[in-house]
Amino acid sequence: MSWLRELPVQLRWTVLLGIAGLTAAVPFSAPDGTGMQWDELVLGSVATSCGVLMLRRLVSMDRTAARPWWPPTIGAFAFAVAQFLAGSFPGPEFDGFGADDVILLAGATSPLITCALLARRVIRTRWSALAVDGAVVVASILVVTEVLRTPLVSPANAPEDLRSLVLTYGAYAALMLGGAGVMCTVSTAAMRRAATTLLVGVSLQACAAGAEAMAIVAPSWTWTAVSDGAVAAALLAASLATYRAPLRAVGHTARDAAPQVSPVGLALVAAAVLGVPTALVIGVLQGEPVSTGAELGIAVVLVLMAVRLVLRIREDSRVTEDLVRSEEDFRELVESSSDGIAIIDEKFHLLFTSPAARDLLGIDGRTDREVSLLELLLPEDREVVRAGGDAARHFRVPVEGAAPRELEVSTSERPGGARRVLYLRDVTTRRLRERELERMAYTDHLTGVPNRIQLFAELGAASEQPRALLVLDLDGFKAVNDLSGHEAGDQLLVEVTRRLRTVVRDDDLIARLGGDEFAVLLNGSLADGEDVAARIVDVMAHPFRADGQTFAVGASVGVAVLTPRSGQAAFRAADAALREAKRAGKGCVRVAQDDDPLSSGEITLEAAQVEGTTSIRLDVACAPDGRIDLVHATPVYEHPVRGTSRGLELWTAAERYGQTAALHRWLLREACAQVATLDDESLDLAVSLPPGAFPAEGLACEVASALQDAGLPASRLVLSFTEETLVTSSAALVPELEAVRRTGVRLCLDGYGMGHSIWALLARVPLDMLRVELATLATRDDTGRALTVLASIARTSAAVGLVSVAGGIATDEQRDGAVAAGIDLLHGRALPHNLGIEDLAVQLAAGRATVSR
């Protein structure tokens, strides 16, 4: 009864009440059609209920999907009207073949229209063949009933005035079985279940028509019960077919419209055709002579089958011609394509190659089966082909007297097949350009050394040996540009790069940060870094000649040591040491001092938590009406000797000792766990990624685990990050962020307004929110200009569907101005901040954010 569970509750009640109603009504209904027909009133109620349910289903469908199912829906209501008329007005007006029977037949034949509409959706539908097939089935059914002397075609015992009605019921049964059986045997994959169910319903209608005819020939409650039960079941089957139909119309591609055979329809058609010889054999065994009508029917069936055979031969010929034409068109297309197409077997032997593929693979003059694809490739690229897969891959083909040809290959393979189709494209020029563009993106165009991006990528790379970072700035370089122009300054920078190469090893990295700032990443200890820095100062102290002039330009150097995953922290430390060198009189070296709040002899987060306390403080973000919609979690570390450290200072210390990931993991889990304990399920939580380079691998799994352990829905978490994090982190960050967002977590860009446009950022990573720091939009005292820029950002973010958050709201004036600018959320010192979880619960209980003055 799995089909019953597919029905809506109302239709299930219809089944139960229909069975109960028919059980009670049939014994009180006159089998000869006189008197009150209570069973017909029950069937009218069942038809009405089914029609209403089908109508509700059609309303939820789109127009194209619903179109085939309107006829049975209208037919159900027409059937209900006919039943109510026949049951409510017994007597001469509706006795015999009357108006109620006309309405009944109109409604009962409506499924044939649906069958035709479903057949029309199958690709290559041949209506002439369908018509002949349907006629064969109808004629076969009539021949079987004639040979077996059934009352459906020989109603001798029926009242004379009702014999035409008996014949009509018999013809109806044959017509419905033949038409529906032929048209619904083949349907599309999407409509197969619905078409099969409809075919079952039509078969039940045919059975009901036969039972109704028998009830006229030999009045009996048994035939009435069979007829009424079959009609009710047919109505339910039509309703179930409607609910099994897809809500949206499928496409019109060859795959969507590919034919699918229904076993029920196939069995029905086969039974009808095979029934003719079976009936003849039974008649001969019983000694019954074959009537003239049966002989005529058999002749009609044979003629129709001959016509069908002719149509089949013509159709096969047409299909063959189409296949030949398609093959010729395909071959011409393949041979004229500039991209190569090849087919290989499971042993990588080439079974077919287009002319372009032959040129690309360099196999002119050899037959396909003599060549293995692997033999044509460079040895190191053969595993690319062995690995397979549908993703585009690259391999190289050696070319005599030239560089290898680089090919991009994508493959496709039919399930269960041993052959693979390769699509080859020459990407040698494109790959050269890509490598050149990549080199330019990571190289300073003037000096030819790596640029800032390359430096930070190297800083974030893991290294087992000690490393030191030197950041240097030229002393007096501005005077060169001012006195002799930028061309002389450029020549001097090139000479600076040359001198730097003389004091570092080949495996050390020299980078130009911009202007007259350089950096050196060397493999060695802090002492090695101090030694190289001193030599740099010495070599830069020698006079420079540029543009025919001599200049005295020195250098100041800051030195810091690198620990695992401490690149950003080391750069900031070396930069701070460089500023100390500048203040000390220039032309000198300064080493970064270690005064991190986490420095205690141990470098793990767990060890730091033993000596101090790590906690979370929460800053609220409010809607313009004061409602608290979001809280931002910040880690705070309290040490009994070194004091309190939070925010950027704490992240810098964590990065220096390689604890960035551990601190972020703790912050994410602790913040989710604390917010999940609050009663307000509408409150969202924002957690920021660490500033600077961030090891993004596994971020999506970590977020999912934290949410699951805390029992916090993904839609309540906002992951925040800055443009600096996007630029300096590994390439895995963007895919990880996309994976996080697919789970329902929202993404927020922090510190917007200081870098790229929102369009460039949206093209790189999907965003849901952006946060603007008000103080960065104008000078310190120009609040009016800052609010003007803020309004523009609010309009832009609203136009692309982003939630805008304004930070740094310190006064009531700024808060009112941000609200007027159209900002969605506000936070800062003018709103509750630096809260514990208990303080936040008090704020939420108040319903609005309140600030103690």
Side-chain angles (χ1 to χ4, degrees):
M1 300 293 287
S2 60
W3 63 271
L4 188 59
R5 289 193 293 270
E6 297 184 37
L7 298 177
V9 175
Q10 181 178 339
L11 206 51
R12 297 184 193 180
W13 279 106
T14 301
V15 173
L16 298 176
L17 294 178
I19 294 174
L22 289 176
T23 302
V26 169
F28 297 97
S29 301
D32 57 0
T34 61
M36 286 296 296
Q37 302 297 307
W38 298 106
D39 59 330
E40 294 183 346
L41 295 179
V42 173
L43 288 177
S45 301
V46 172
T48 302
S49 178
C50 292
V52 171
L53 264 295
M54 293 165 70
L55 185 61
R56 289 181 181 176
R57 177 68 172 180
L58 295 184
V59 171
S60 63
M61 294 180 175
D62 63 34
R63 178 179 297 182
T64 303
R67 186 177 295 119
W69 303 103
W70 278 108
T73 303
I74 297 173
F77 287 114
F79 182 84
V81 171
Q83 293 299 95
F84 285 136
L85 289 175
S88 302
F89 301 98
E93 296 86 349
F94 294 98
D95 192 18
F97 190 81
D100 59 328
D101 294 296
V102 175
I103 300 175
L104 178 79
L105 286 175
T109 53
S110 59
L112 281 182
I113 303 176
T114 299
C115 293
L117 293 175
L118 295 180
R120 184 171 175 266
R121 297 190 174 186
V122 181
I123 191 171
R124 303 182 67 88
T125 298
R126 303 295 183 186
W127 290 103
S128 57
L130 286 180
V132 173
D133 289 341
V136 169
V137 174
V138 172
S140 298
I141 294 174
L142 293 176
V143 168
V144 170
T145 56
E146 172 65 23
V147 171
L148 297 179
R149 306 293 183 181
T150 62
L152 296 178
V153 294
S154 301
N157 297 329
E160 186 174 351
D161 58 336
L162 295 180
R163 290 179 181 176
S164 59
L165 182 58
V166 173
L167 292 175
T168 301
Y169 278 129
Y172 166 79
L175 178 64
M176 293 296 289
L177 286 174
V182 170
M183 288 187 287
C184 287
T185 296
V186 180
S187 62
T188 63
M191 301 298 297
R192 179 180 174 181
R193 293 176 70 240
T196 301
T197 306
L198 181 64
L199 185 56
V200 171
V202 171
S203 301
L204 289 170
Q205 285 182 248
C207 293
E212 189 69 21
M214 293 303 299
I216 295 175
V217 175
S220 170
W221 284 344
T222 301
W223 291 116
T224 302
V226 171
S227 174
D228 292 345
V231 169
L235 289 169
L236 294 173
S239 302
L240 180 58
T242 306
Y243 275 85
R244 283 182 166 179
L247 292 174
R248 300 291 177 263
V250 297
H252 297 284
T253 63
R255 177 175 297 181
D256 295 328
Q260 295 282 327
V261 177
S262 167
V264 175
L266 186 62
L268 191 152
V269 173
V273 175
L274 294 177
V276 174
T278 303
L280 289 174
V281 171
I282 293 174
V284 171
L285 293 177
Q286 293 178 348
E288 294 287 343
V290 179
S291 66
T292 304
E295 293 176 348
L296 181 61
I298 294 172
V300 170
V301 171
L302 293 176
V303 170
L304 290 174
M305 293 183 70
V307 173
R308 184 65 182 91
L309 180 61
V310 173
L311 292 176
R312 174 67 67 184
I313 294 173
R314 292 180 58 188
E315 182 178 355
D316 290 346
S317 176
R318 184 162 48 249
V319 169
T320 302
E321 292 177 1
D322 291 343
L323 287 175
V324 172
R325 190 180 301 110
S326 298
E327 183 178 355
E328 292 176 350
D329 293 341
F330 173 75
R331 181 174 293 276
E332 183 178 353
L333 177 65
V334 169
E335 292 181 352
S336 62
S337 174
S338 59
D339 293 341
I341 298 176
I343 300 176
I344 59 175
D345 60 16
E346 67 277 6
K347 296 182 179 179
F348 305 101
H349 291 148
L350 289 167
L351 305 179
F352 168 80
T353 52
S354 67
R358 288 176 173 272
D359 293 338
L360 294 175
L361 296 173
I363 56 175
D364 290 340
R366 286 182 281 179
T367 62
D368 293 342
R369 293 188 177 273
E370 294 177 351
V371 180
S372 171
L373 177 63
L374 299 179
E375 298 174 358
L376 303 174
L377 311 180
L378 293 179
E380 56 268 28
D381 290 345
R382 291 171 183 172
E383 286 302 321
V384 175
V385 178
R386 289 193 179 99
D390 295 334
R393 300 170 184 269
H394 296 86
F395 57 66
R396 291 166 295 171
V397 176
V399 178
E400 185 177 355
R405 180 183 295 117
E406 295 193 48
L407 302 181
E408 181 182 75
V409 55
S410 56
T411 66
S412 62
E413 181 178 0
R414 288 187 176 275
R419 296 184 174 189
R420 276 193 287 171
V421 180
L422 308 182
Y423 306 94
L424 309 172
R425 175 173 294 181
D426 189 348
V427 293
T428 305
T429 303
R430 191 190 77 188
R431 297 279 284 181
L432 287 174
R433 291 173 179 172
E434 288 176 354
R435 283 191 285 269
E436 178 62 19
L437 290 174
E438 184 177 3
R439 185 195 66 79
M440 293 172 62
Y442 290 97
T443 305
D444 178 62
H445 70 283
L446 176 62
T447 61
V449 298
N451 59 12
R452 187 186 189 96
I453 298 176
Q454 178 72 16
L455 173 67
F456 278 100
E458 293 294 331
L459 291 177
S463 176
E464 297 181 356
Q465 56 184 334
R467 295 187 299 171
L469 176 65
L470 285 62
V471 177
L472 63 105
D473 180 269
L474 299 181
D475 301 327
F477 178 75
K478 185 175 183 300
V480 177
N481 282 335
D482 293 342
L483 295 176
S484 301
H486 290 282
E487 184 176 354
D490 290 346
Q491 295 177 13
L492 191 146
L493 291 175
V494 173
E495 176 61 19
V496 168
T497 304
R498 188 193 66 78
R499 293 189 185 185
L500 286 175
R501 288 196 176 103
T502 65
V503 296
V504 300
R505 294 186 294 266
D506 292 340
D507 57 347
D508 297 331
L509 183 141
I510 302 172
R512 183 187 175 201
L513 302 177
D516 60 341
E517 293 185 355
F518 290 81
V520 177
L521 178 61
L522 58 88
N523 296 312
S525 63
L526 181 62
D528 295 330
E530 291 184 72
D531 179 65
V532 173
R535 285 190 282 145
I536 289 176
V537 171
D538 291 341
V539 76
M540 295 301 170
H542 297 170
F544 287 86
R545 286 195 60 81
D547 198 22
Q549 302 181 61
T550 302
F551 301 96
V553 177
S556 300
V557 186
V559 184
V561 65
L562 270 78
T563 57
R565 297 185 296 275
S566 67
Q568 284 285 326
F571 180 80
R572 284 191 283 267
D575 192 53
L578 172 62
R579 292 195 296 271
E580 287 294 327
K582 288 284 190 181
R583 284 193 291 267
K586 303 180 181 180
C588 59
V589 178
R590 287 294 182 268
V591 179
Q593 299 300 316
D594 188 4
D595 56 355
D596 294 327
L598 292 184
S599 178
S600 59
E602 296 284 351
I603 61 172
T604 66
L605 182 64
E606 292 78 6
Q609 288 175 327
V610 171
E611 293 192 5
T613 303
T614 308
S615 61
I616 289 178
R617 309 301 289 178
L618 301 167
D619 301 332
V620 306
C622 301
D625 60 0
R627 184 183 68 255
I628 300 176
D629 286 349
L630 181 73
V631 291
H632 178 259
T634 302
V636 177
Y637 180 73
E638 296 176 284
H639 194 275
V641 176
R642 297 177 177 85
T644 301
S645 178
R646 63 175 292 162
L648 183 59
E649 182 183 5
L650 181 58
W651 286 115
T652 301
E655 186 176 8
R656 175 177 290 274
Y657 291 100
Q659 296 301 302
T660 299
L663 181 59
H664 182 262
R665 188 181 307 112
W666 176 88
L667 171 64
L668 180 64
R669 289 184 171 274
E670 187 67 18
C672 288
Q674 290 191 18
V675 172
T677 63
L678 298 173
D679 295 332
D680 191 344
E681 296 184 356
S682 64
L683 180 68
D684 296 332
L685 167 67
V687 177
S688 294
L689 294 183
F694 174 67
E697 291 77 6
L699 175 63
C701 295
E702 188 61 45
V703 171
S705 177
L707 291 172
Q708 181 178 2
D709 292 346
L712 191 71
S715 59
R716 293 181 59 187
L717 179 63
V718 177
L719 212 57
S720 176
F721 50 87
T722 63
E723 290 186 56
E724 180 188 7
T725 302
L726 279 179
V727 172
T728 58
S729 295
S730 66
L733 178 59
V734 172
E736 290 286 343
L737 290 176
E738 292 174 344
V740 167
R741 189 172 184 269
R742 284 194 294 271
T743 67
V745 176
R746 288 171 291 167
L747 302 182
C748 175
L749 178 70
D750 196 3
Y752 173 70
M754 301 297 293
H756 297 82
S757 72
I758 190 62
W759 316 113
L761 292 167
L762 283 174
R764 184 175 182 190
V765 63
L767 296 174
D768 302 284
M769 307 172 67
L770 58 85
R771 177 186 173 276
V772 183
E773 190 70 25
L774 187 62
T776 63
L777 301 183
T779 58
R780 182 180 181 86
D781 299 326
D782 197 352
T783 303
R785 178 173 176 79
L787 292 174
T788 300
V789 177
L790 185 65
S792 177
I793 293 176
R795 289 192 298 270
T796 302
S797 61
V800 294
L802 301 181
V803 175
S804 55
V805 184
I809 305 298
T811 65
D812 293 342
E813 176 191 359
Q814 292 176 345
R815 180 183 59 193
D816 296 340
V819 172
I823 290 295
D824 299 307
L825 295 174
L826 309 95
H827 76 98
R829 293 195 306 274
L831 298 163
H833 59 282
N834 198 30
L835 305 176
I837 193 66
E838 297 82 5
D839 302 326
L840 177 60
V842 173
Q843 291 281 343
L844 292 172
R848 289 172 58 88
T850 57
V851 184
S852 299
R853 298 294 184 183

